[in-house]
Amino acid sequence: QALRRTLFALENASMQPGFGQELLAKALRELPEKMRDIIVARYYYGFRFSKIGEMMGMTEANARVTHSRALTKLRELIGELL
């Protein structure tokens, strides 16, 4: 949800189709690998936090915390790229 709202806001602000996706892709490339993997697993593949934790060798709680920090970092990176 949070990622979709950010993408929607970016595309509406720029009035350029695909602008938000390009910006998001750039910001994702700048995230640390572990954070990027959790974002991709959650939003692209739709995995639950329990599965993400299992795949990445961490607890579900740790996966949730890392996901939250990744979203915060992603918002910061997008802000810097604007």
Side-chain angles (χ1 to χ4, degrees):
Q1 281 282 19
L3 203 54
R4 288 188 196 114
R5 283 194 306 265
T6 301
L7 184 59
F8 180 76
L10 288 171
E11 288 188 355
N12 282 338
S14 71
M15 303 303 279
Q16 297 175 18
F19 174 78
Q21 291 177 347
E22 290 175 28
L23 198 59
L24 180 60
K26 286 179 185 177
L28 278 170
R29 284 192 294 271
E30 292 187 30
L31 274 180
E33 184 177 6
K34 186 164 125 178
M35 288 182 166
R36 182 176 53 247
D37 289 347
I38 286 180
I39 294 294
V40 169
R42 181 74 176 150
Y43 294 102
Y44 185 76
Y45 293 107
F47 289 132
R48 297 175 183 264
F49 289 113
S50 57
K51 182 66 174 174
I52 293 169
E54 180 184 319
M55 291 184 321
M56 297 186 71
M58 61 177 67
T59 65
E60 178 180 346
N62 195 323
R64 287 180 182 276
V65 168
T66 305
H67 170 265
S68 177
R69 290 177 180 162
L71 282 180
T72 298
K73 181 72 174 167
L74 196 57
R75 286 185 196 104
E76 290 171 6
L77 289 168
I78 288 170
E80 290 172 10
L81 291 170
L82 285 177

